[in-house]
Amino acid sequence: MLIHRLLHLTRRFGNKAFALTVLAALVLSLVPAMASAADRGAWAANTQYAVADTVTYGGKGYECRQSHQSLVGWEPPNVPALWLEKAGTVDTQAPSTPAGLTSTGKSSNSVSLSWSASTDNVGVTGYEVFIGSATSPAATATGTSVTVSGLSANTTYTFTVKARDAAGNRSAASSAYSVTTDPQIVDTQAPTAPTSLRSTGTTNNSVSLAWNASTDNVGVTGYEVFIGSASTAAATATGTSVTVSGLTANTTYSFTVKARDAAGNRSAASASASATTQTAPSSDIPSKVLVGYWHNFDNGSGFIRLRNVSSKWDVINVSFAEPTNGSTGGTIGFTPYSYTEADFKADVAYLQSQGKKVIISIGGANGQVRLETEAARTAFVNSMISIIEKYGFDGMDIDFEGHSLQLNAGDADFKNPTTPLIKNLISAIRAIHDRFGSKFVLTMAPETFFVQLGYSFYGGTCLGCDTRAGAYLPVIHALRDILTWLQVQDYNSGPITGLDDQYHNMGNADFHVAMTDMLLTGFPVGKNTNSFFPALRPDQVAIGLPANGNAGGGYTTPAEVQKALDALLKGIPIGSYTVRSNVANNKSFRGLMSWSVNWDAFANYEFTNSHRPYLDALK
């Protein structure tokens, strides 16, 4: 009966909702109903709720459908089995009117504005700036300042600003503020040529350059660096230094630099300067690694410059590169958050000079990628090569979640997949790897739903199964010859059946041992003995973990993680699961991955400070 119910919930809700609902159901079976219902105010974690209790969350009202004690991650929108959204309880209160609108700067074609923050009963999510009586905003902002561009010279503009909240309520318009743009200056004079171009440092794939500033009758706005006789700039900078990345090891390059001004005038080229990149290390990835995801966004964990991440990380996965033309278009984009391109490139090169690997991760929870056509595959390959070359990344990480991967009905042989989006992804990854060569780092970070669940259910074969179950298996198998390592996310997971045919629940040593042992031993896909997924090499396996309780469900204490590693690498039994893989061979196990660098810093570096000494002792 329980298995039947789990299958039903999996089909209905998919992976993440499946995990939440199963956990909720297990708790519900143990928690008695409360005696009466009540208006409980704002939803809170670790609180007992009864049937018909009402709460608010995110400006909406919800009614409790089943008695339970709430947990972090069980917010009402996430668990429809527990909460029913009540009609007519949307947020209708508009934010207060912004005040203090003023100009902080202007040019001939732009005006910079700022204002005082508005307040709201739920929360202000952004601001809209209007010109005159226009009904469409000329600019939007999440903070209290913005620059409105594309204006005409020597023209007076009247601005107002409105605040908005998540429910779409908008405040009244602020008091109007008028600004006259500067007169247009017709500039035809080019800057002077930069002087004293020189190399200030090299790595095996980058050269750092500096030069003396140019002058201009109006003002120099930036510089362009060229390699040899190329007409396209290899790098740009607003200051007088830059790092050119994505170069070949042990190769001599000749550079020149030109200055430019706001009118597009460019100087003559500087005198050339040559530099030779360093020889690539013969073995430049440690035998035991700590891999950390770095946030290219701010989610409350705090922003960290790449060069300031903990030195205990060996590999930093920049997350995420995401689709720019829809989930099926194939084109991937990446723009550094809170960085200039020059500074971001310089920080990547700095970490590489310290012996670190910096990898671009694709996808994530919000970046759905479905390469359903040959055109999408080509767009994916071309855009990813461009991103990797532009920023000098050492490799890429495939972090496809949600509906990025699934199997067509009848696609039963993971060794010979027929589903187009699976075949196109395999082909695309191999093409990108081949473009950069054998030292290109290729990792994957699937959820357990896409890998270990394939032991019990394979999406293309079983009637009624979620077609995503085990969908990573054909990709892993087809690319195992170039796969550097697989770092399955042992978190945000529902119960998974191990090789002992028992359910294992996340958050403890038992789960990590059972899930990792499946990869080191191999298993029959869909329990079909004629379809066996071969074991990966131990150096191709890492365990994915949340850095702390804020980072995701399934946080495991350092002591429990190391208990799991002791079982897998030293043969020390844990009692709940017997390791089936060869413990002696497992000593080459690759290491630990964590979501994330930022959450580790937020938690005072518990993850890196605990696990770095443990891994170093294994070398």
Side-chain angles (χ1 to χ4, degrees):
M1 184 64 181
L2 176 58
I3 294 174
H4 175 78
R5 188 178 182 190
L6 294 179
L7 287 174
H8 172 73
L9 291 171
T10 303
R11 293 195 299 272
R12 183 175 178 188
F13 295 112
N15 184 24
K16 286 188 170 68
F18 167 76
L20 289 172
T21 304
V22 169
L23 289 175
L26 292 174
V27 173
L28 289 173
S29 67
L30 302 175
V31 178
M34 292 180 66
S36 59
D39 182 357
R40 305 296 296 281
W43 180 91
N46 303 313
T47 301
Q48 190 73 42
Y49 291 106
V51 173
D53 277 357
T54 59
V55 298
T56 58
Y57 185 87
K60 296 182 178 181
Y62 295 85
E63 181 175 321
C64 181
R65 305 178 74 174
Q66 300 185 64
S67 299
H68 67 284
Q69 181 170 333
S70 60
L71 298 175
V72 174
W74 290 22
E75 293 82 0
N78 295 342
V79 195
L82 299 180
W83 294 101
L84 175 66
E85 182 179 337
K86 297 175 65 179
T89 59
V90 296
D91 177 16
T92 59
Q93 182 175 327
S96 64
T97 303
L101 179 61
T102 189
S103 172
T104 57
K106 61 177 181 172
S107 69
S108 61
N109 62 1
S110 68
V111 172
S112 295
L113 300 167
S114 69
W115 54 88
S116 299
S118 296
T119 59
D120 186 63
N121 63 315
V122 177
V124 174
T125 58
Y127 298 88
E128 298 172 330
V129 176
F130 297 85
I131 297 175
S133 59
T135 57
S136 296
T140 60
T142 55
T144 57
S145 63
V146 76
T147 296
V148 183
S149 303
L151 306 178
S152 299
N154 198 31
T155 301
T156 299
Y157 291 89
T158 299
F159 300 94
T160 55
V161 61
K162 297 180 181 180
R164 66 174 185 272
D165 62 20
N169 302 305
R170 284 165 172 76
S171 72
S174 69
S175 297
Y177 187 85
S178 296
V179 185
T180 301
T181 52
D182 294 337
Q184 180 68 53
I185 299 175
V186 179
D187 179 15
T188 59
Q189 182 175 327
T192 61
T195 58
S196 299
L197 177 63
R198 57 204 179 272
S199 170
T200 58
T202 62
T203 68
N204 63 309
N205 63 359
S206 69
V207 172
S208 296
L209 300 167
W211 54 89
N212 293 347
S214 298
T215 59
D216 186 64
N217 63 316
V218 177
V220 174
T221 57
Y223 298 87
E224 298 171 328
V225 177
F226 299 85
I227 298 176
S229 59
S231 57
T232 301
T236 60
T238 54
T240 56
S241 64
V242 76
T243 296
V244 182
S245 304
L247 306 179
T248 302
N250 196 29
T251 302
T252 299
Y253 292 89
S254 178
F255 301 93
T256 55
V257 60
K258 296 179 180 180
R260 67 175 185 272
D261 61 21
N265 301 306
R266 284 169 171 75
S267 73
S270 69
S272 63
S274 295
T276 302
T277 52
Q278 298 177 20
T279 301
S282 57
S283 178
D284 52 0
I285 301 178
S287 62
K288 296 290 181 288
V289 296
L290 280 183
V291 183
Y293 282 80
W294 174 87
H295 300 183
N296 192 49
F297 49 85
D298 186 356
N299 66 347
S301 58
F303 175 76
I304 306 172
R305 281 195 59 160
L306 279 173
R307 67 172 53 238
N308 295 329
V309 303
S310 169
S311 61
K312 295 179 174 65
W313 298 107
D314 301 295
V315 182
I316 295 89
N317 285 7
V318 173
S319 54
F320 293 101
E322 297 179 333
T324 62
N325 60 343
S327 62
T328 59
T331 301
I332 306 298
F334 174 75
T335 301
Y337 170 78
S338 197
Y339 260 114
T340 65
E341 283 190 359
D343 285 346
F344 185 82
K345 291 178 182 178
D347 278 9
V348 170
Y350 172 79
L351 288 180
Q352 292 167 334
S353 74
Q354 305 301 304
K356 313 297 183 184
K357 292 295 183 184
V358 186
I359 297 173
I360 182 65
S361 184
I362 314 164
N366 298 322
Q368 305 292 299
V369 182
R370 293 175 59 87
L371 305 184
E372 297 176 351
T373 64
E374 182 65 27
R377 174 213 173 272
T378 300
F380 180 86
V381 170
N382 292 340
S383 58
M384 283 308 304
I385 288 174
S386 176
I387 290 169
I388 293 165
E389 290 181 337
K390 181 175 184 178
Y391 295 102
F393 291 121
D394 295 296
M396 67 179 180
D397 172 66
I398 307 300
D399 188 4
F400 284 12
E401 300 180 20
H403 287 80
S404 292
L405 291 183
Q406 65 186 97
L407 298 158
N408 289 350
D411 190 351
D413 183 1
F414 75 90
K415 296 180 180 180
N416 298 285
T418 58
T419 304
L421 64 84
I422 299 288
K423 295 174 63 178
N424 287 333
L425 178 61
I426 293 169
S427 171
I429 293 173
R430 189 171 290 279
I432 295 168
H433 177 275
D434 291 349
R435 168 67 176 78
F436 293 101
S438 60
K439 287 189 175 294
F440 187 75
V441 180
L442 173 63
T443 66
M444 301 180 193
E447 298 164 287
T448 57
F449 188 92
F450 293 94
V451 182
Q452 286 93 338
L453 186 62
Y455 168 61
S456 300
F457 313 108
Y458 190 55
T461 60
C462 59
L463 182 64
C465 289
D466 190 315
T467 57
R468 297 171 297 161
Y472 251 94
L473 294 176
V475 180
I476 297 167
H477 183 71
L479 299 172
R480 63 173 60 224
D481 62 312
I482 59 172
L483 177 67
T484 313
W485 63 76
L486 179 74
Q487 44 201 19
V488 175
Q489 300 177 31
D490 279 8
Y491 50 94
N492 294 340
S493 171
I496 301 291
T497 302
L499 295 178
D500 57 356
D501 287 323
Q502 301 297 313
Y503 278 121
H504 297 270
N505 295 288
M506 63 180 180
N508 51 52
D510 170 86
F511 187 74
H512 302 303
V513 172
M515 295 303 99
T516 307
D517 197 37
M518 293 178 75
L519 303 176
L520 297 172
T521 305
F523 55 87
V525 176
K527 296 190 177 180
N528 178 357
T529 55
N530 295 319
S531 181
F532 192 85
F533 179 80
L536 292 170
R537 301 191 315 268
D539 66 285
Q540 289 181 299
V541 178
I543 297 174
L545 302 156
N548 60 33
N550 294 307
Y555 166 72
T556 310
T557 64
E560 278 290 295
V561 173
Q562 291 170 20
K563 181 180 175 182
L565 294 177
D566 285 344
L568 291 164
L569 310 183
K570 302 176 183 179
I572 301 174
I574 61 173
S576 56
Y577 181 90
T578 301
V579 175
R580 287 152 173 77
S581 54
N582 188 320
V583 172
N585 290 341
N586 290 349
K587 294 185 185 300
S588 61
F589 170 81
R590 180 61 75 173
L592 303 174
M593 171 273 276
S594 180
W595 179 265
S596 63
V597 168
N598 304 65
W599 282 120
D600 179 47
F602 183 88
N604 296 318
Y605 304 99
E606 177 192 74
F607 188 90
T608 46
N609 287 342
S610 300
H611 296 311
R612 180 78 273 166
Y614 181 93
L615 292 182
D616 288 345
L618 295 173
K619 294 179 181 179

